[in-house]
Structure formats: C-alpha cells, structure tokens
Amino acid sequence: MTECLHRDQATPLGREVPRSTESGSGSRTNDRDASPAFVLSGGGNLGALQVGMMYALVESGLKPGMIVGTSVGAINGAFLASRPDLPGIAEIARLWSSLRRRDVLGVDFGTLVGGIRGRPRHLFDSTSIRRILESFLTFRQLEDAPIPLKVVATEFHTGEAVVLSSGDATTALLASSAVPRLLPPVEIDGRLLVDGAAAADVPVRQAVLLGARDLYVLPTAPMQVATLEQEAGNCDATDRADPADRAVVRVIPPPEVHIPLARLDQSQNLFTLGYEQARAWLEGRPLSGTVRADRSPAPRFAFRPRIRLADNQTGDHQVADHQIADHQTAGQSS
C-alpha cells in the first residue's frame, strides 16, 4: 500500500501556516485538527532544533495525539511524550544544553581491539545513551507512553522501515538511533535493527499508514523538506484518491545550519533558533536564512535569526525568549 503526500492541502510543503485550533476561531473542529500527529525526523545534534519547534507548537495551543519519530526525532518524541507541557519541554531543553560528546558517546574498547585486528563493528557503545534515556523517560514500555509513541528503525538485512509501538522504550530508542559503524545494532524480536533514518529519515509515510491525517512535521534540514516535496509531486501525477481522505501535511521549514556533527555545545542556540523559526512560520513572518557555528564558545542566544517583524524589532519573539528562560529558571530552583 502506498500513501501519497499532497501539496494541494499543504501548498507548498513547509509554507502553509495553520489556523488557530481554539474553539470559536472559525477553524474546523474535527478530531484531525484537535489531535494532530507530530512527526520528528532524524538529524543527530541538530535534533535540538526540534525542541524549540515543539515548544512553539505547544505554546500555540497544539498538542499531539500521536508522535512518530526517527532516530534523534524518536528520542525527542519520547521526551515530549514524557513531558508534554511547556515547563516539561524547557526541561528537555536543559537536558540537551547540559550534554557534551563525552556524556553521550563512550568508546567501545572491545570494538577498538577488533578494529585493530581487522574486524571493526562500531566505534562507540550505547551505555551512556541508555543511562540518559532511562533517567529522563517517565515510562518504561512504549505502550505506556502518555501520548501514543511510534518509533521507527531500519531492519539491517532488508533495509525496510520497522515501526515499534510496544516493548521496552529505551531499547526501541537505541535501535532507532543506532547509526551503523558508530553505535551497535539492536536485536528486537529476532530482527537486527539500526538507525531509522536509513529507511525513513522523515517518517511521514509511516505516520499516515498508522492513521494520521493531520500532521505537523519537525525536520532538521532543508534537504528533508525537498525530499517530501518531490514525493508529493510524484504522487500528484498518479493518485486519484478522494481529497477528503488525503493527509494534511504541515512542515515547519528548518533553517540551514552548519554545525559539525560531534558538537553538542550549540544546543541552547539551536533550541532558540528552532523556536523562533517555528514561531515565525506559525505567525506568517519571514523566515531566517543560513546559520553557521563559529569555533568559539557561544553565548546563550548567539544565533538569533534575522527575522523581520511586522511592527518592530522588539516584538513577540523576544518576549517568548524571556518566557522560556523563566521556565528554565523555575525548573532549576525547584
């Protein structure tokens, strides 16, 4: 079965600004609008962008009825399912900001010895990531997540996408984020699973097959959006489905960010950038351009995007920054 993405209901992908979902606003009030699916892509350390996007969406009144994630997007989705309100997302941002490479990636010395002998498998072990996940998640089994959570991984031997919706949550997230050659594959139910981005970097198709009809997509790179647009164009030429049955796909346009893969010290800046990008998109304001990381320690909001506000340069997004900071301060003092 093939599900198509349609630009006629999200025209073009990444640029449609949704109407308010509050009652009395004149928008539709069916279940699709009331409980959208959040779809989170892979992206490594750029996953911090998604945390800011999540904050903006929840701040605007949107709450997911289902979360579908790949790789780091699956991890962020699990964190959101654990803490789905604004103070909770601020906690997620603090966790991201506290992490450094040494906290996440531990060298697998057994593998290093194997590599010296000519039998390399993976460079790092996943012990540190497991510890972080187990300490932050509020549920142990996927089926117990407060918000339905679907984790996408890749079957190592066939290359097919595998959707995990039950079983140990930490194990599923480790499978979804097991980048080949970097992290060890994970065996679940007799299948060897690796990074979900290999088969479904942006798991929109999986979300639609799971029944989602109103989707908010949180990507981490413009190339991911271009791929979705190409898929939509290919389907438009052949699909004859009833428009009422088509999924509405809304994609937050991610900024083009150039930060080395191993750097985690830019997370707070990425969180702020993702938040402001999503806010600008929700409000129909111009979006930011390319952002590059320098090599020096970055201040708290070093990468404030160049967004032209409709009225002045000290408007809503600056106020929102202070609101986010207030949540963080409150969490630290509690």
Side-chain angles (χ1 to χ4, degrees):
M1 178 181 178
T2 300
E3 293 282 354
C4 285
L5 314 178
H6 292 273
R7 286 181 294 189
D8 57 348
Q9 291 203 357
T11 307
L13 281 172
R15 295 183 179 85
E16 182 192 10
V17 178
R19 296 180 176 88
S20 170
T21 58
E22 297 178 356
S23 60
S25 64
S27 61
R28 291 170 298 170
T29 59
N30 58 30
D31 291 340
R32 180 164 70 180
D33 280 355
S35 299
F38 284 10
V39 179
L40 289 81
S41 74
N45 58 347
L46 298 183
L49 288 168
Q50 294 174 333
V51 183
M53 293 176 180
M54 293 188 305
Y55 194 103
L57 290 176
V58 173
E59 183 182 54
S60 73
L62 290 164
K63 295 184 179 180
M66 177 171 66
I67 301 170
V68 183
T70 285
S71 196
V72 72
I75 293 175
N76 279 332
F79 288 168
L80 178 62
S82 293
R83 293 165 169 80
D85 57 9
L86 293 181
I89 300 172
E91 287 186 47
I92 301 172
R94 283 199 299 275
L95 174 63
W96 267 91
S97 298
S98 71
L99 296 176
R100 295 295 180 266
R101 180 174 55 186
R102 63 181 178 275
D103 302 320
V104 177
L105 299 175
V107 176
D108 189 329
F109 291 102
T111 295
L112 286 180
V113 172
I116 293 172
R117 294 174 179 173
R119 298 191 302 275
R121 294 173 298 172
H122 51 271
L123 183 57
F124 304 103
D125 68 33
S126 55
T127 303
S128 297
I129 302 175
R130 176 178 286 276
R131 183 169 58 249
I132 293 168
L133 294 174
E134 290 178 342
S135 66
F136 201 79
L137 295 181
T138 61
F139 53 91
R140 292 291 175 249
Q141 301 294 115
L142 287 177
E143 58 268 35
D144 294 332
I147 298 173
L149 175 65
K150 314 298 179 182
V151 174
V152 181
T154 300
E155 212 286 333
F156 179 77
H157 297 293
T158 66
E160 296 179 349
V162 175
V163 179
L164 304 170
S165 55
S166 63
D168 184 76
T170 298
T171 301
L173 295 172
L174 290 176
S176 181
S177 57
V179 179
R181 296 290 185 179
L182 291 182
L183 292 165
V186 177
E187 184 174 342
I188 298 179
D189 294 335
R191 296 179 294 186
L192 199 62
L193 304 180
V194 295
D195 188 27
D201 193 21
V202 187
V204 168
R205 193 175 306 281
Q206 286 69 33
V208 172
L209 290 172
L210 288 164
R213 287 297 177 267
D214 186 20
L215 292 76
Y216 285 80
V217 182
L218 287 65
T220 58
M223 183 59 68
Q224 295 169 334
V225 179
T227 300
L228 290 177
E229 288 184 325
Q230 181 177 0
E231 290 183 6
N234 292 340
C235 284
D236 284 344
T238 59
D239 188 68
R240 297 295 181 268
D242 185 342
D245 294 332
R246 295 172 177 173
V248 178
V249 182
R250 302 180 175 97
V251 185
I252 300 177
E256 184 177 354
V257 180
H258 300 276
I259 294 178
L261 180 63
R263 289 192 65 175
L264 290 173
D265 62 333
Q266 303 298 314
S267 294
Q268 179 61 55
N269 302 313
L270 291 172
F271 165 71
T272 302
L273 179 58
Y275 170 80
E276 294 191 350
Q277 187 84 347
R279 284 281 297 186
W281 174 73
L282 286 164
E283 296 169 3
R285 293 188 275 116
L287 303 175
S288 64
T290 299
V291 177
R292 295 181 179 273
D294 58 20
R295 295 291 178 176
S296 60
R300 183 177 180 83
F301 297 123
F303 297 150
R304 183 176 300 283
R306 296 180 295 278
I307 297 177
R308 297 188 301 277
L309 298 180
D311 298 323
N312 55 59
Q313 291 296 326
T314 59
D316 293 341
H317 73 285
Q318 269 196 330
V319 174
D321 279 344
H322 293 304
Q323 292 171 344
I324 295 169
D326 288 343
H327 280 310
Q328 293 174 335
T329 302
Q332 289 171 344
S333 62
S334 60

